[in-house]
Amino acid sequence: MKQPTELNILAFSKTAGYRHGAIPQSLTAIGRLAERNNWKVTATEEADVFNSNDLPEFDLVLFVHTTKNILNESQQQALKDFVENGGGLLTLHTGTDTEYEWPWYVEAIGASFVGHPPSQKGKLIIEDRSHPATEHFPDSVWIITDEWYSFDRNPGADVHVLISIDENSYDVDDNRWFEGAQQRMGDHPLVWYREVGKGRVFQTALGHEPELYHNPLFLKHLEGAIWWTGKK
């Protein structure tokens, strides 16, 4: 996909909870996409960059497997202002497992994580193949192995869903690591977006497995999501 302008991206991979093993592969893949698309990427785990002077220099903040509370109040305010004034926020895999106690963020993302079974093969349904993050899929079904997140709500009424998962295609009720979690949702979206103020927020729950960062279909999904979310 060729675009006329480059993007300036902040790739932020700070964790305060579980630290995903795919962070290095994710950052490497993002770097390769950046080379191909003439993007500039600043990768950091230092939250000091979330301030009213530095953050507006970026087109897109990309949360790379972030977990739990990673920003203090002033940093939260800087991100809120950034998005509402036209910046993009894209969360890779764990956006719903981040900043549970920050109401603005939870509303912007659309849901909070409650649990998942062990990684396994699942059947994804491409709900909308007209978006830059999904237009490359050859049909409406995509079967891959990943870690399938469940959420505390179905955000479908407030967001535009791009990809859902067929709960009959995997063991959704295996909550061995999240005792008491209700992981069955019925209608079960995994990828969606919304506009927040003047900005764009894109949430993809895909991307746990390191092997996905060598999968052409997944990389095109991530590439399209970055272009769409970062475009001013």
Side-chain angles (χ1 to χ4, degrees), residues 39-230:
W39 300 335
K40 178 182 178 182
V41 176
T42 300
T44 186
E45 298 197 3
E46 299 298 325
D48 291 347
V49 70
F50 287 83
N51 64 72
S52 59
N53 291 320
D54 293 329
L55 213 53
E57 298 298 318
F58 296 96
D59 301 303
L60 171 66
V61 173
L62 175 51
F63 277 5
V64 184
H65 303 282
T66 55
T67 52
K68 301 302 187 283
N69 298 326
I70 53 174
L71 302 175
N72 64 30
E73 287 188 10
S74 66
Q75 293 159 355
Q76 290 176 346
Q77 186 64 48
L79 179 59
K80 177 177 182 289
D81 291 343
F82 170 77
V83 172
E84 292 186 344
N85 289 322
L89 173 63
L90 193 160
T91 67
L92 176 57
H93 183 48
T94 59
T96 58
D97 191 25
T98 300
E99 294 288 350
Y100 292 85
E101 299 170 12
W102 181 15
W104 177 88
Y105 177 86
V106 173
E107 176 70 17
I109 294 298
S112 293
F113 166 82
V114 296
H116 62 73
S119 291
Q120 58 195 281
K121 187 178 292 185
K123 178 183 176 183
L124 298 177
I125 307 300
I126 315 301
E127 305 279 1
D128 181 351
R129 290 165 60 201
S130 67
H131 190 276
T134 53
E135 62 188 7
H136 62 286
F137 285 106
D139 55 50
S140 60
V141 173
W142 186 32
I143 298 174
I144 57 170
T145 296
D146 204 2
E147 185 179 78
W148 309 119
Y149 273 21
S150 293
F151 312 106
D152 65 344
R153 74 202 77 171
N154 186 328
D158 301 312
V159 303
H160 188 97
V161 176
L162 293 177
I163 301 177
S164 298
I165 188 163
D166 180 354
E167 289 186 338
N168 293 321
S169 70
Y170 74 106
D171 190 0
V172 64
D173 296 316
D174 182 347
N175 62 355
R176 67 183 75 176
W177 296 326
F178 303 92
E179 186 176 353
Q182 173 53 257
Q183 295 179 174
R184 183 173 293 274
M185 297 175 61
D187 180 20
H188 194 143
L190 288 176
V191 180
W192 60 78
Y193 68 84
R194 70 185 308 173
E195 294 185 357
V196 177
K198 297 178 181 178
R200 294 175 170 182
V201 175
F202 190 105
Q203 191 281 145
T204 177
L206 310 180
H208 173 80
E209 293 299 319
E211 292 78 10
L212 284 172
Y213 297 92
H214 302 281
N215 181 307
L217 288 176
F218 178 77
L219 290 174
K220 288 292 289 183
H221 168 65
L222 181 57
E223 184 179 30
I226 289 172
W227 272 123
W228 181 86
T229 314

Side-chain angles (χ1 to χ4, degrees), residues 16-43:
Y18 182 83
R19 187 166 181 85
H20 281 72
I23 289 175
Q25 291 89 343
S26 303
L27 292 173
T28 297
I30 291 165
R32 289 174 177 162
L33 292 175
E35 290 179 5
R36 187 164 76 195
N37 289 283
N38 195 31
W39 300 335
K40 178 182 178 182
V41 176
T42 300

